[in-house]
Amino acid sequence: AYQDFQKMLSVEKPDAVCLNVPEHLISSIGCQVMQMGFPLLAEKPPGLDISEIDQLIASAQSTGVIHQVAFNRRHAPLMVELKRMLRGESIHHIDHQFYRVGRTRYDFSNTAIHAIDSIRFLAGDFKQLRFQYQEFPELSEKAPVANFFINGSTVSGATVNMSISPITGLNTETTTLHTFNHTFVIKFILGAE
């Protein structure tokens, strides 16, 4: 057992580091791990604000260390196959519903980021997004509970609608994607919590 992660890495010399720490530590420890030369898989979010993310990017660029944030939907077989099937297609609209049951105990944006990243993986960078929140302050005194509704467009011209709800009756994620000749639907049923 170690009380100092830098000492642990120096002694153990792992092939890579999987960083699972509270969100407020991801950027600072992630930068230190890369500066020590270890490949890094960091949990999401990569930072709590743009400056933290910029620090991670700068460390990655200056060290040249292999790194990744754990946006795992990009590696789900259904998403990978859909991405393959979209080659040569022009996406014109995506709807994404991201629902959970009873997520009232912490800031749900750290989970909701998977919806935003899934759309970005399939359709490319966003041009603009508008956020609307439906808050439920009576559900938790510790953390804000809200449904998120996001709409906008991608640089490629696709329109996007996302509904992200931490307090529904299902644990599911559904993506409906329209091209000019096809409609694709992916549904992840995640089971009970």
Side-chain angles (χ1 to χ4, degrees):
Y2 294 88
Q3 292 184 359
D4 181 329
F5 77 89
Q6 290 176 319
K7 181 178 180 184
M8 177 190 69
L9 294 176
S10 296
V11 171
E12 300 296 335
K13 297 181 180 19
D15 293 329
V17 173
C18 183
L19 184 60
N20 293 293
V21 296
E23 290 100 359
H24 70 280
L25 298 173
I26 290 173
S27 180
S28 63
I29 293 177
C31 289
Q32 292 173 64
V33 168
M34 285 189 285
Q35 289 162 2
M36 293 177 73
F38 293 101
L40 175 68
L41 173 63
E43 257 308 324
K44 47 70 180 150
L48 293 179
D49 58 36
I50 298 233
S51 68
E52 287 188 1
I53 294 168
D54 286 344
Q55 290 169 5
L56 274 172
I57 291 169
S59 287
Q61 289 173 339
S62 69
T63 63
V65 168
I66 296 170
H67 59 282
Q68 183 176 358
V69 175
F71 289 124
N72 54 33
R73 302 312 188 271
R74 293 173 174 236
H75 305 285
L78 287 172
M79 292 292 267
V80 171
E81 179 62 14
L82 178 56
K83 180 80 170 179
R84 186 196 64 75
M85 293 172 72
L86 288 170
R87 288 186 195 131
E89 295 275 354
S90 179
I91 301 168
H92 65 86
H93 183 72
I94 301 175
D95 278 308
H96 189 86
Q97 292 83 40
F98 192 99
Y99 301 144
R100 293 294 186 272
V101 174
R103 291 285 188 96
T104 60
R105 59 188 184 274
Y106 59 86
D107 180 0
F108 191 64
S109 66
N110 294 334
T111 301
I113 192 71
H114 283 299
I116 295 167
D117 187 66
S118 294
I119 301 305
R120 186 169 180 247
F121 172 69
L122 293 170
D125 287 334
F126 294 106
K127 181 177 182 181
Q128 52 105 14
L129 292 174
R130 289 177 299 282
F131 289 75
Q132 180 181 351
Y133 302 94
Q134 180 184 22
E135 296 183 357
F136 301 101
E138 68 276 12
L139 295 179
S140 177
E141 293 177 16
K142 294 182 180 179
V145 177
N147 291 332
F148 304 64
F149 303 97
I150 306 167
N151 62 55
S153 61
T154 65
V155 171
S156 65
T159 55
V160 174
N161 284 320
M162 288 177 258
S163 298
I164 302 168
S165 301
I167 49 167
T168 66
L170 292 172
N171 285 318
T172 184
E173 296 171 33
T174 304
T175 302
T176 305
L177 187 146
H178 304 279
T179 69
F180 291 111
N181 298 310
H182 299 93
T183 295
F184 301 93
V185 178
I186 291 180
K187 188 166 203 157
F188 294 102
I189 307 241
L190 304 168
E193 292 228 349

